């Protein structure tokens, strides 16, 4: 199996985003993604959200129950998450009315979920 360089950013609340790199298959399976993402999310159930970032669709993973757990709002991940609706929906929605991301997030710099 051929591995390729896969860049990603860990976005934690109240911290600078941290860029990282891993050698991964072009299409990693769920377990491969889970092994990298879940420790960042403190073993939470991961949820994939498709985001519009750097003029392309990418995959971001967040805690599926972050809001229920009362995790703090992740302003950077929220901004990235909301960008798709703000860029592509007509009429343009009010940003404050869109959903938020709670707790840490992992943003891949390429689509990894098929």
């Amino acid at each position: 199996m051929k591995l390729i360089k896969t860049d990603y950013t860990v976005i934690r609340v109240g911290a600078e985003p941290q860029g990282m790199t891993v050698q991964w298959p072009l299409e990693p399976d769920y377990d491969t993604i889970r092994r990298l993402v879940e420790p960042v999310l403190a073993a939470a159930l991961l949820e994939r959200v498709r985001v519009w970032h750097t003029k392309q669709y990418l995959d971001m993973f967040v805690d599926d129950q972050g809001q229920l757990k009362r995790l703090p709002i992740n302003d950077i991940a929220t901004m990235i998450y909301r960008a798709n609706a703000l860029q592509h929906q007509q009429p343009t929605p009010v940003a404050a009315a869109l959903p938020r991301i709670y707790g840490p997030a992992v943003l891949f710099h390429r689509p990894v979920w098929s």
Side-chain angles (χ1 to χ4, degrees):
M1 167 178 24
K2 181 180 177 186
L3 301 178
I4 65 167
K5 177 182 154 187
T6 301
D7 295 324
Y8 65 99
T9 301
V10 174
I11 307 167
R12 290 188 171 87
V13 177
E16 288 294 316
Q18 184 179 12
M20 307 185 99
T21 301
V22 66
Q23 293 292 325
W24 259 14
L26 182 60
E27 295 183 14
D29 62 17
Y30 175 79
D31 285 333
T32 300
I33 295 169
R34 184 182 56 77
R35 281 192 300 273
L36 186 141
V37 173
E38 282 187 352
V40 174
L41 303 183
L45 181 61
L46 62 92
E47 176 184 6
R48 175 232 184 203
V49 291
R50 185 173 175 228
V51 297
W52 178 255
H53 188 63
T54 61
K55 299 183 182 181
Q56 61 184 325
Y57 284 106
L58 302 174
D59 291 324
M60 184 165 68
F61 291 85
V62 300
D63 185 335
D64 183 48
Q65 298 180 335
Q67 185 176 10
L68 293 173
K69 293 177 181 176
R70 300 181 188 264
L71 296 177
I73 295 169
N74 187 324
D75 292 325
I76 295 171
T78 295
M79 180 185 69
I80 293 168
Y81 178 67
R82 289 176 171 175
N84 184 45
L86 295 173
Q87 178 72 29
H88 296 109
Q89 285 184 8
Q90 294 300 324
T92 303
V94 175
L98 295 170
R100 296 178 175 159
I101 300 297
Y102 295 83
V106 177
L107 173 67
F108 286 92
H109 299 205
R110 68 175 181 89
V112 296
W113 189 274
S114 52

Short mmCIF file of all heavy atoms in Angstrom, two decimals, residues 49-74:
data_model
loop_
_atom_site.label_atom_id
_atom_site.label_comp_id
_atom_site.label_asym_id
_atom_site.label_seq_id
_atom_site.Cartn_x
_atom_site.Cartn_y
_atom_site.Cartn_z
N VAL A 49 -17.16 16.44 9.61
CA VAL A 49 -17.89 17.54 8.99
C VAL A 49 -17.11 17.98 7.76
O VAL A 49 -15.89 18.13 7.81
CB VAL A 49 -18.14 18.70 9.97
CG1 VAL A 49 -19.12 18.31 11.05
CG2 VAL A 49 -16.86 19.21 10.59
N ARG A 50 -17.82 18.11 6.68
CA ARG A 50 -17.21 18.57 5.42
C ARG A 50 -17.17 20.09 5.48
O ARG A 50 -18.19 20.73 5.75
CB ARG A 50 -18.06 18.09 4.26
CG ARG A 50 -17.47 18.38 2.91
CD ARG A 50 -18.33 17.69 1.86
NE ARG A 50 -17.87 18.03 0.55
CZ ARG A 50 -18.66 18.43 -0.44
NH1 ARG A 50 -19.96 18.51 -0.25
NH2 ARG A 50 -18.16 18.73 -1.60
N VAL A 51 -16.00 20.65 5.26
CA VAL A 51 -15.84 22.10 5.38
C VAL A 51 -15.26 22.69 4.10
O VAL A 51 -14.58 22.00 3.32
CB VAL A 51 -14.95 22.47 6.59
CG1 VAL A 51 -15.60 22.03 7.90
CG2 VAL A 51 -13.55 21.89 6.47
N TRP A 52 -15.54 23.95 3.87
CA TRP A 52 -14.99 24.70 2.75
C TRP A 52 -13.88 25.57 3.33
O TRP A 52 -14.13 26.48 4.12
CB TRP A 52 -16.08 25.56 2.12
CG TRP A 52 -15.62 26.41 0.99
CD1 TRP A 52 -15.40 27.76 1.01
CD2 TRP A 52 -15.30 25.98 -0.34
NE1 TRP A 52 -14.98 28.19 -0.22
CE2 TRP A 52 -14.92 27.13 -1.07
CE3 TRP A 52 -15.32 24.75 -0.98
CZ2 TRP A 52 -14.55 27.07 -2.41
CZ3 TRP A 52 -14.95 24.69 -2.32
CH2 TRP A 52 -14.57 25.84 -3.01
N HIS A 53 -12.63 25.23 2.97
CA HIS A 53 -11.48 25.94 3.54
C HIS A 53 -10.38 25.98 2.48
O HIS A 53 -10.17 24.99 1.78
CB HIS A 53 -11.01 25.21 4.80
CG HIS A 53 -9.97 25.92 5.57
ND1 HIS A 53 -10.18 27.16 6.16
CD2 HIS A 53 -8.69 25.60 5.86
CE1 HIS A 53 -9.09 27.54 6.78
NE2 HIS A 53 -8.17 26.61 6.61
N THR A 54 -9.70 27.07 2.38
CA THR A 54 -8.65 27.29 1.37
C THR A 54 -9.16 26.96 -0.03
O THR A 54 -8.48 26.32 -0.82
CB THR A 54 -7.36 26.50 1.69
OG1 THR A 54 -7.64 25.09 1.70
CG2 THR A 54 -6.76 26.93 3.02
N LYS A 55 -10.40 27.39 -0.30
CA LYS A 55 -11.05 27.26 -1.61
C LYS A 55 -11.23 25.81 -2.06
O LYS A 55 -11.17 25.50 -3.25
CB LYS A 55 -10.30 28.06 -2.66
CG LYS A 55 -10.26 29.55 -2.36
CD LYS A 55 -9.58 30.31 -3.45
CE LYS A 55 -9.53 31.79 -3.07
NZ LYS A 55 -8.91 32.60 -4.09
N GLN A 56 -11.43 24.91 -1.10
CA GLN A 56 -11.67 23.50 -1.43
C GLN A 56 -12.43 22.83 -0.28
O GLN A 56 -12.43 23.33 0.84
CB GLN A 56 -10.36 22.77 -1.69
CG GLN A 56 -9.42 22.76 -0.49
CD GLN A 56 -8.09 22.12 -0.81
OE1 GLN A 56 -8.02 21.17 -1.58
NE2 GLN A 56 -7.02 22.64 -0.24
N TYR A 57 -13.06 21.71 -0.59
CA TYR A 57 -13.72 20.93 0.45
C TYR A 57 -12.71 20.03 1.14
O TYR A 57 -11.92 19.35 0.48
CB TYR A 57 -14.87 20.10 -0.13
CG TYR A 57 -16.07 20.94 -0.43
CD1 TYR A 57 -16.42 21.26 -1.72
CD2 TYR A 57 -16.87 21.42 0.61
CE1 TYR A 57 -17.52 22.04 -2.00
CE2 TYR A 57 -17.98 22.21 0.35
CZ TYR A 57 -18.30 22.52 -0.96
OH TYR A 57 -19.39 23.30 -1.22
N LEU A 58 -12.74 20.05 2.47
CA LEU A 58 -11.83 19.26 3.29
C LEU A 58 -12.64 18.55 4.36
O LEU A 58 -13.81 18.84 4.56
CB LEU A 58 -10.78 20.16 3.94
CG LEU A 58 -9.91 21.00 3.00
CD1 LEU A 58 -9.03 21.95 3.79
CD2 LEU A 58 -9.08 20.11 2.09
N ASP A 59 -11.98 17.65 5.07
CA ASP A 59 -12.62 16.93 6.17
C ASP A 59 -12.10 17.45 7.50
O ASP A 59 -10.89 17.57 7.70
CB ASP A 59 -12.32 15.43 6.07
CG ASP A 59 -13.01 14.78 4.88
OD1 ASP A 59 -14.15 15.18 4.57
OD2 ASP A 59 -12.42 13.87 4.27
N MET A 60 -13.04 17.74 8.40
CA MET A 60 -12.71 18.12 9.76
C MET A 60 -13.45 17.16 10.67
O MET A 60 -14.60 16.78 10.41
CB MET A 60 -13.12 19.57 10.04
CG MET A 60 -12.71 20.07 11.41
SD MET A 60 -12.79 21.88 11.60
CE MET A 60 -14.55 22.17 11.53
N PHE A 61 -12.80 16.74 11.75
CA PHE A 61 -13.41 15.82 12.70
C PHE A 61 -13.53 16.52 14.05
O PHE A 61 -12.61 17.19 14.50
CB PHE A 61 -12.57 14.54 12.82
CG PHE A 61 -12.62 13.71 11.57
CD1 PHE A 61 -11.76 13.97 10.52
CD2 PHE A 61 -13.56 12.69 11.44
CE1 PHE A 61 -11.82 13.22 9.35
CE2 PHE A 61 -13.62 11.94 10.27
CZ PHE A 61 -12.75 12.20 9.23
N VAL A 62 -14.70 16.34 14.66
CA VAL A 62 -15.02 17.00 15.92
C VAL A 62 -15.69 15.99 16.86
O VAL A 62 -16.06 14.90 16.44
CB VAL A 62 -15.96 18.21 15.69
CG1 VAL A 62 -15.29 19.24 14.78
CG2 VAL A 62 -17.29 17.78 15.10
N ASP A 63 -15.87 16.38 18.11
CA ASP A 63 -16.58 15.55 19.09
C ASP A 63 -18.07 15.60 18.77
O ASP A 63 -18.69 16.67 18.80
CB ASP A 63 -16.31 16.09 20.50
CG ASP A 63 -16.91 15.23 21.60
OD1 ASP A 63 -17.90 14.50 21.35
OD2 ASP A 63 -16.40 15.28 22.73
N ASP A 64 -18.65 14.46 18.49
CA ASP A 64 -20.07 14.36 18.13
C ASP A 64 -20.98 14.90 19.23
O ASP A 64 -22.07 15.37 18.95
CB ASP A 64 -20.40 12.89 17.83
CG ASP A 64 -21.83 12.70 17.38
OD1 ASP A 64 -22.28 13.45 16.50
OD2 ASP A 64 -22.50 11.79 17.91
N GLN A 65 -20.52 14.85 20.46
CA GLN A 65 -21.35 15.28 21.58
C GLN A 65 -20.75 16.47 22.33
O GLN A 65 -21.03 16.69 23.51
CB GLN A 65 -21.57 14.11 22.53
CG GLN A 65 -22.31 12.96 21.87
CD GLN A 65 -22.53 11.81 22.81
OE1 GLN A 65 -21.80 11.61 23.77
NE2 GLN A 65 -23.54 11.02 22.52
N GLY A 66 -19.93 17.24 21.64
CA GLY A 66 -19.25 18.36 22.28
C GLY A 66 -20.18 19.34 22.95
O GLY A 66 -19.92 19.80 24.07
N GLN A 67 -21.28 19.68 22.29
CA GLN A 67 -22.22 20.63 22.89
C GLN A 67 -22.91 20.02 24.10
O GLN A 67 -23.06 20.67 25.14
CB GLN A 67 -23.24 21.08 21.86
CG GLN A 67 -24.18 22.15 22.38
CD GLN A 67 -25.13 22.68 21.33
OE1 GLN A 67 -25.24 22.15 20.24
NE2 GLN A 67 -25.84 23.74 21.67
N LEU A 68 -23.33 18.75 23.99
CA LEU A 68 -23.99 18.08 25.12
C LEU A 68 -23.06 17.97 26.32
O LEU A 68 -23.51 18.02 27.47
CB LEU A 68 -24.47 16.70 24.71
CG LEU A 68 -25.60 16.65 23.69
CD1 LEU A 68 -25.86 15.22 23.24
CD2 LEU A 68 -26.86 17.28 24.25
N LYS A 69 -21.77 17.81 26.07
CA LYS A 69 -20.78 17.71 27.15
C LYS A 69 -20.41 19.08 27.71
O LYS A 69 -19.60 19.18 28.62
CB LYS A 69 -19.50 17.05 26.62
CG LYS A 69 -19.67 15.61 26.25
CD LYS A 69 -18.36 15.09 25.68
CE LYS A 69 -18.44 13.66 25.26
NZ LYS A 69 -17.17 13.21 24.64
N ARG A 70 -20.98 20.13 27.10
CA ARG A 70 -20.70 21.51 27.50
C ARG A 70 -19.23 21.88 27.34
O ARG A 70 -18.66 22.60 28.15
CB ARG A 70 -21.18 21.77 28.91
CG ARG A 70 -22.67 21.56 29.09
CD ARG A 70 -23.10 21.88 30.50
NE ARG A 70 -24.47 21.50 30.73
CZ ARG A 70 -25.50 22.33 30.65
NH1 ARG A 70 -25.31 23.58 30.33
NH2 ARG A 70 -26.71 21.90 30.89
N LEU A 71 -18.63 21.36 26.26
CA LEU A 71 -17.26 21.75 25.95
C LEU A 71 -17.27 23.20 25.49
O LEU A 71 -18.29 23.70 25.00
CB LEU A 71 -16.69 20.85 24.84
CG LEU A 71 -16.54 19.37 25.18
CD1 LEU A 71 -16.02 18.61 23.96
CD2 LEU A 71 -15.62 19.18 26.36
N PRO A 72 -16.15 23.90 25.64
CA PRO A 72 -16.12 25.30 25.22
C PRO A 72 -16.22 25.43 23.70
O PRO A 72 -15.83 24.53 22.95
CB PRO A 72 -14.76 25.79 25.73
CG PRO A 72 -13.95 24.56 25.92
CD PRO A 72 -14.90 23.45 26.22
N ILE A 73 -16.74 26.55 23.27
CA ILE A 73 -16.85 26.83 21.84
C ILE A 73 -15.45 27.00 21.26
O ILE A 73 -14.60 27.69 21.82
CB ILE A 73 -17.68 28.11 21.59
CG1 ILE A 73 -19.11 27.89 22.06
CG2 ILE A 73 -17.65 28.51 20.12
CD1 ILE A 73 -19.94 29.16 22.12
N ASN A 74 -15.23 26.36 20.13
CA ASN A 74 -13.97 26.46 19.41
C ASN A 74 -14.18 27.50 18.29
O ASN A 74 -14.75 27.18 17.25
CB ASN A 74 -13.57 25.10 18.84
CG ASN A 74 -12.20 25.10 18.23
OD1 ASN A 74 -11.79 26.08 17.62
ND2 ASN A 74 -11.50 23.99 18.37
#
